[in-house]
Amino acid sequence: MSRASGATPWSVVSGLALRGLWRELRGGSLGAMLLALCVAVAAVSAVAFFTDRVERGMQAQAGEFLAADRRLSSANAFDAALDEDARALGLRVARTLGFPSVIMAGEASSLVQIKAVGEGYPLRGRLASADAPGGAERDEAAGPAPGEVWGEARLFAVLGVQPGARLAVGHASLRLTRMLAAEPDAGGEFFQPAPTLMMNLADVPATGLVTPVSRVRHQLLLAGPDAALTRFAERTQARWPSGARSEGVEDARPEFRAALDRARQFLGLSAVVAVLLSGAALVLAARHYQSRQQDSAALMRALGASSSTILRLYVLRLVALGLAASVPGVLFGFLAQFGLAALMEGLLTVRLPAPGLGAVGMGLATAQVALLGFALPALVRLHRTPPLRVLRRDLPAPTPGSALLFAAALLAMGLLVLMQAREPTLALVLSLGLLGLLGVVYLAAWGALRLFGRLRFSGGARLGLAALTRHPHAGAAQLSALSLGLAVLLVLGVVRVDLLEAWRTQLPADAPNYFAINIQPDELPALQAFFAEEGIRPAGVYPMLRARLTAINERPVRGEDYADARAQRLALREFNLSWAAALPSDNRLLAGRWWTAGDSESGAFSIEEGIGERLGFGLGDRLRFDINGAPVEAVVRSVRSVQWDSMRPNFFVVAPPGFLDRHPAQYITSFHLPAGREETYRRLLERFPTLTLFDLDALLAQVRGVMDRATVAVQYVFLFTVLAGLTVLHAAFLSTRRERLREAALLRVLGARRRQVAGALLVEFLALGMLAAVLATLAASVLGMGLSVWVFELPWRFNAALPLWALAGGVGLTLLFVLGLMRQVVSAPPGRALR
Amino acid sequence: MPQPVAPIMETRRLTQKVAGPEGELVILHEIDLAVAPGEALAIVGPSGAGKSTLLGLLAGLDTPSEGEIHLLGERLDRLDEDGRARVRAGQVGFVFQSFQLIDGLTALENVLLPLELAGVTAAAARAASLLEQVGLTPRARHYPRQLSGGEQQRVALARAFAGEPRVLFADEPTGNLDSVTGQRVIELLFALRERHGSTLVLVTHDAQLAARCDRRVRIAAGQLSEELAR
Ligand SMILES: Nc1ncnc2c1ncn2[C@@H]1O[C@H](COP(=O)(O)OP(=O)(O)O)[C@@H](O)[C@H]1O
Ligand SMILES: [Mg+2]
């Protein structure tokens, strides 16, 4: 036998830390910690697995939005030698050419957006065609052969032609062979004015449509490894035409990426609520564990263990516990992720790849941060347990100061929120908000219990209610966790529906439900006559012309100057200008003045308040727009608020009549068509085939469908909150279990029957459930009222179903919980418990 | 009678006072005590006399108000908590009235604990052999809750001797056991002490048990007095 000198080696400490862990897990406070951690890890992993899939899916598909990995575009032609340079670097190359043109089919004609595609197109993404509109789609490896063209479905309708028809495209006659069903780089605009006609690049010279002065868009598509793309740019950039723009996959669809980021944050933060509740369970369980470990710590100290040995032992044990909880937690999260993906499936435009391991780290890290922040501080002074405790059992280990407990919990909370929000400022704001929310709920719970404690009851009820109010902090923790979980579900399940309903009913019954766009100026009289004939009152007919904002006070506008993705998108895209003599009826003037006599000559703009805020201009600023290559400049004379949900045509920027008249415009209107007037709808389409009609009811139903699915997904994540709330009940119950067993035994010795003992327990938890229902109803109502009145400006009305749902939820959950415990408490033999 | 060798533990003017509800309470007053290596000392006295307090001080589990405590060549009253723990590690064993086994560990693991804490190599075989010496080999994998009181105290005995301690402190080891079981535990305790040659400090109010020790001291009213062999 030999003895090592100095500190106890790590191998021994870790052996001690791990040994007995499994046994202590069962039923004890370590078990409660494990359970709480599992729920936390599962919640976070489910979201992490899912968003990781979406992110990878997006990355894989980002190229499809460009039909390439990198796209160069310019108004001028690219040097023919560039293709060879690219191939030499191992890149694949294709060219496209885009321009608008009017084509003819017999007597019929239509404005189309021509897209001439060369060999190799598309380098990425899916191109598909069909025999005829409505026919089965077929994937295509390349665009139309020379001499052939493919047209979008609406082109067949506009021209009134069948597949096989000959089209006059400039000087060339080409055969319309197939319907264009899907193109990867469709542009993604909501309003695309002209249908696309796809042709072969080789046919372009014969059309005579492209001359050096024509307004065309040349594109050079490239695909291949990143390094080669970078090399290509370095080597050839000098030979690109001036003003050439280079877009990579990272530039593709910034608004989509922003939406995804927001969704990830939102789901992640929903999961954090569950983690924080689990944190409360950890705090309770760790305190209990600390009180149960004092004997062991004292004994080890008496046997000669140094305080550092004991400290290391408990830290290691917690780390091991975190790992042990992470395995089932991650697994559970992995399974739950499939549910989330199924719920979100219809909402996502990306194909999800198989789940990857990238999300495992998030679960592991969450477990450790939660343990170190919420559980370790309670145990950290066990190593100072007086060894004399082995002789005098009443000597306690020093308890850690509440400042330490609070600071550690706060730090962990901030870190957990940061891990999901990934933005320090947002994390800080949210942490403070969450802290405030938890604080308010906790105080409310504490106050409710105090009030409740004042009430006088008799018999078994008194015993049960005394148990509820005896430990004010544990009781308040239980009550607030349960209330919070319920309140969240109520807001998502009941309040949201109420809000939507309130919004729908406050819309006037005759609010417009159809938008008509693409109205040509010469059609306008006939259309207005048609409306008059049919007794339809359009909500104003407005001209609409597409313009690009190029400068604010002579300073050029560039997308990269805006941090926010939505602003970036707005700054880059073309938006719609209009003109009007009078302020539209649903607009309000916020600043400046409406038109005066000279404005038509000198020009003026009236802007919507939101666009000004987002893009950084306001009253008195000089804006320059580019309309079809012609610059238009004027000063902002007024700022308006717009009621977008009036369903009337509305515009970000409006000019006075006469100022923009020389630019070609089309018209837009909206109108109400009651249900049952499908005949009118059909006649309208027949008379005005180039009109584009949007059915708002159908769109709204679609939007609502999307919202419903999204909320179900969020509710799904919040189910973890309820589970976490149950772990708090469990942990709180555990810390009073001994006392309860003793009491139940004492009651039985004194002659109480089992039913009476069980009754007291039932009363206690039913009361807990009911109190939670009251608090949750209150919280959900206050939130609903706040949202109605301040955010959505809708009338608010208390929903009587709210307390009923809350009661069902609260009582149901606690009942579920207490039935599991009942046997334990009631059936323990009195002798054992009293010993 | 002169001591042939230097004492293994010794106190000089050892005083322990505590703050009570009615002012300061003197539990031990200027106690001088020396124990020779290999000696078996019984501390007797009525309940509440301060026997456990003295034992705790001798083992370095507590610090005295005044006076010196020497144990295994170290001045305990001058060491800090970890320093005193270092003196105990692997050299001191304990047997308590309330057994004090760790619930989460098996019998064997409980015996292993002091060996591991002292960094002893090849500890498992030694722990198993100790369990055999107390006749509990078949119960090695059982947890304390699955053992009777007597069995638990035998595990505690195995644990106490596992590290071949130079000093063994026992505080009323039979206090929680019936007389037959207690007798069995005492037989084992003395047999093991014989084999390992440990110095023993035994607190008891059982006169019969005290009689088996080499020497008896009585505590009353904070004072220590030597009892002569009958
Ligand atoms: N830290 C302390 N605080 C207050 N009283 C103490 C403390 N330590 C011991 N005592 C008291 O000192 C007396 C002696 O206790 P103890 O040594 O346990 O007696 P014994 O073991 O002889 O029965 C008892 O009255 C006990 O209550
Ligand atoms: Mg005692």
Side-chain angles (χ1 to χ4, degrees), chain A residues 2-3 19 23 301-302 307 390, chain B residues 82 88 90 100 109 143 163:
Chain A
S2 76
R3 284 204 170 101
R19 200 172 300 143
R23 194 179 149 80
R301 296 208 74 187
S307 49
V390 294
Chain B
D82 273 342
R88 284 193 298 272
Q100 302 268 24
E109 288 164 350
Y143 289 95

Side-chain angles (χ1 to χ4, degrees), chain A residues 392 395, chain B residues 18-20 25 27 45-54 171-172 203:
Chain A
R392 294 177 46 92
L395 284 180
Chain B
V18 296
L25 187 71
I27 304 170
S47 188
K51 306 181 295 291
S52 297
T53 304
L54 178 60
D171 189 5
E172 312 215 15
V203 165

Side-chain angles (χ1 to χ4, degrees), chain A residues 137-471:
Chain A
E137 289 184 16
R138 156 180 116 189
D139 286 2
E140 300 283 358
E148 295 181 10
V149 292
W150 299 345
E152 248 181 275
R154 53 181 166 144
L155 188 65
F156 289 83
V158 169
L159 296 175
V161 294
Q162 297 297 318
R166 295 209 79 86
L167 304 183
V169 184
H171 297 308
S173 167
L174 303 172
R175 228 155 63 82
L176 178 62
T177 50
R178 302 187 63 78
M179 187 204 89
L180 179 62
E183 51 181 328
D185 46 349
E189 294 269 355
F190 189 47
F191 291 148
Q192 168 133 29
T196 301
L197 184 74
M198 188 175 279
M199 63 186 282
N200 195 295
L201 196 59
D203 289 331
V204 172
T207 65
L209 287 171
V210 178
T211 66
V213 294
S214 324
R215 280 174 50 76
V216 298
R217 189 128 211 98
H218 297 269
Q219 294 188 325
L220 189 68
L221 307 181
L222 300 163
D226 281 345
L229 289 169
T230 313
R231 287 273 291 287
F232 176 78
E234 285 165 5
R235 281 194 195 170
T236 63
Q237 194 145 25
R239 287 185 285 134
W240 296 357
S242 67
R245 204 164 80 140
S246 166
E247 290 168 286
V249 293
E250 65 282 359
D251 307 317
R253 308 194 63 175
E255 84 288 0
F256 189 77
R257 189 167 286 277
L260 180 77
D261 275 349
R262 207 116 16 91
R264 181 178 53 65
Q265 280 177 346
F266 191 76
L267 289 177
L269 291 167
S270 312
V272 162
V273 178
V275 177
L276 293 184
L277 284 187
S278 303
L282 284 178
V283 169
L284 288 174
R287 283 172 61 159
H288 185 236
Y289 187 64
Q290 191 264 359
S291 71
R292 302 298 299 274
Q293 283 298 304
Q294 296 184 7
D295 284 340
S296 294
L299 181 75
M300 284 187 282
R301 296 208 74 187
L303 293 180
S306 69
S307 49
S308 95
T309 299
I310 292 178
L311 186 62
R312 283 186 293 158
L313 185 144
Y314 284 106
V315 171
L316 271 181
R317 188 169 286 173
L318 283 191
V319 170
L321 180 72
L323 292 177
S326 298
V327 174
V330 166
L331 210 68
F332 188 24
F334 178 78
L335 295 177
Q337 164 276 138
F338 287 107
L340 199 54
L343 288 171
M344 295 286 270
E345 192 175 14
L347 304 182
L348 295 170
T349 50
V350 288
R351 289 187 301 277
L352 296 181
L357 292 178
V360 172
M362 180 64 90
L364 293 180
T366 299
Q368 295 301 336
V369 170
L371 270 177
L372 297 186
F374 300 122
L376 183 63
L379 306 185
V380 88
R381 297 190 72 179
L382 268 177
H383 74 287
R384 306 272 300 276
T385 310
L388 191 59
R389 188 180 157 89
V390 294
L391 296 174
R392 294 177 46 92
R393 303 294 295 272
D394 53 326
L395 284 180
T399 46
S402 43
L404 170 74
L405 293 179
F406 196 67
L410 217 60
L411 202 70
M413 172 170 163
L415 208 60
L416 290 167
V417 173
L418 182 64
M419 278 160 64
Q420 300 300 331
R422 299 194 198 169
E423 285 171 32
T425 10
L426 180 69
L428 188 71
V429 170
L430 282 170
S431 300
L432 291 178
L434 272 172
L435 195 71
L437 178 73
L438 293 177
V440 166
V441 173
Y442 185 85
L443 280 182
W446 195 75
L449 284 180
R450 284 282 305 259
L451 273 181
F452 211 68
R454 297 258 181 93
L455 302 179
R456 291 279 158 258
F457 299 90
S458 60
R462 191 177 57 212
L463 272 174
L465 296 171
L468 186 59
T469 52
R470 186 169 23 194
H471 300 280

Side-chain angles (χ1 to χ4, degrees), chain B residues 117-170:
Chain B
L117 287 174
V120 169
T121 52
R126 170 138 190 92
S129 122
L130 255 300
L131 266 187
E132 197 199 336
Q133 292 174 38
V134 298
L136 283 178
T137 304
R139 307 292 228 137
R141 302 211 164 278
H142 287 208
Y143 289 95
R145 252 181 253 166
Q146 300 166 303
L147 302 174
S148 73
E151 286 166 337
Q152 287 189 41
Q153 195 61 308
R154 276 151 66 198
V155 174
L157 276 179
R159 178 179 69 189
F161 284 100
E164 296 210 323
R166 293 174 61 194
V167 183
L168 181 74
F169 292 101

Side-chain angles (χ1 to χ4, degrees), chain B residues 89-108:
Chain B
Q91 307 202 72
V92 171
F94 289 98
V95 182
F96 307 104
Q97 179 174 355
S98 54
F99 321 142
Q100 302 268 24
L101 299 179
I102 292 183
D103 284 344
L105 301 182
T106 61
L108 183 70

